[in-house]
Amino acid sequence: MTTPSGASSADDYWRRPADHPADPSGPDASPPPGPTTGGYAGPPPTVAPPAGWRPPLHLQPAAPRRLPAQDMVELDTDEQRAQRITYMVGSVAGAVLLILLCLFCTRLLF
């Protein structure tokens, strides 16, 4: 980055040079170079597509099937049975780990 030198203020560094006017619509402003001098003309106009522009549709999807009714009492019974099995497996695993811990502790003490 260059710094301003001399007795100029700090804002002089960011100002436009004297050969570029700040207001381009002033009396001595020359048009900017380029193919058009009118500025931005906006986006091009849109044209509606023709009436039959979509491809023909040959296959129709089948209507969705009805799901079977749910037996809420049976679902609750199955969930309770699964919960009991989970608790039993956890209890057996905990008991085996407790027995192994006791065996290892007695091995260290005696």
Side-chain angles (χ1 to χ4, degrees), residues 35-106:
T36 60
T37 59
Y40 179 66
T46 58
V47 179
W53 71 274
R54 294 184 188 265
L57 183 63
H58 296 291
L59 297 175
Q60 292 289 337
R65 300 174 302 186
R66 290 192 57 89
L67 293 174
Q70 295 181 354
D71 185 7
M72 298 307 282
V73 174
E74 185 178 349
L75 286 174
D76 288 339
T77 305
D78 290 344
E79 184 178 352
Q80 289 171 358
R81 187 178 309 130
Q83 187 176 18
R84 268 188 248 121
I85 290 172
T86 303
Y87 287 156
M88 289 197 316
V89 168
S91 299
V92 169
V96 168
L97 288 175
L98 183 63
I99 291 171
L100 287 174
L101 181 66
C102 289
L103 286 174
F104 288 137
C105 287
T106 56

Side-chain angles (χ1 to χ4, degrees), residues 41 44 109:
L109 294 176

